[in-house]
């Protein structure tokens, strides 16, 4: 299960999502693909479900590529310090 770090605010936008770290006053924008991954994980689903939803939404994405994309999004969020360890 993935959770946002305390003090990180999230809002959905028409282009994906925006995240704000209140402590550092930095913000990040997520494209629709990354937003789908984050929303799925925050809703309590695993990375496999997030990859599955990517292949449903984007029919030309194969399961291996979707799994790599999910892994990349999670690693980017962790590197930015936006999610709890």
């Amino acid at each position: 299960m993935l959770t946002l770090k305390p003090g990180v605010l999230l809002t959905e936008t028409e282009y994906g999502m925006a995240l704000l770290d209140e402590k550092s006053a930095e913000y990040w924008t997520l494209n629709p693909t990354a937003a789908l991954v984050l929303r799925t994980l925050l809703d309590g689903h695993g990375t496999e479900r997030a990859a599955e939803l990517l292949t449903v939404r984007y029919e030309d994405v194969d399961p291996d590529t979707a799994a790599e994309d999910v892994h990349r999004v999670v690693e980017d969020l962790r590197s930015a310090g936006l999610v709890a360890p």
Side-chain angles (χ1 to χ4, degrees):
M1 183 171 157
L2 190 78
T3 57
L4 294 176
K5 186 175 81 174
V8 174
L9 305 177
L10 172 142
T11 189
E12 309 245 357
T13 70
E14 65 180 290
Y15 303 109
M17 283 184 178
L19 299 166
L20 171 67
D21 183 339
E22 291 181 308
K23 184 175 182 180
S24 69
E26 292 183 281
Y27 76 95
W28 292 261
T29 57
L30 303 181
N31 66 24
T33 301
L36 173 67
V37 170
L38 181 55
R39 174 54 52 212
T40 301
L41 298 174
L42 290 175
D43 286 346
H45 301 284
T47 56
E48 296 84 13
R49 178 67 177 150
E52 178 185 343
L53 289 175
L54 285 178
T55 63
V56 169
R57 168 122 358 127
Y58 306 101
E59 296 174 2
D60 59 335
V61 175
D62 65 87
D64 289 336
T65 301
E68 290 171 14
D69 289 348
V70 169
H71 178 73
R72 189 174 311 112
V73 168
V74 171
E75 287 306 309
D76 288 349
L77 291 167
R78 283 193 176 126
S79 293
L82 297 171
V83 294

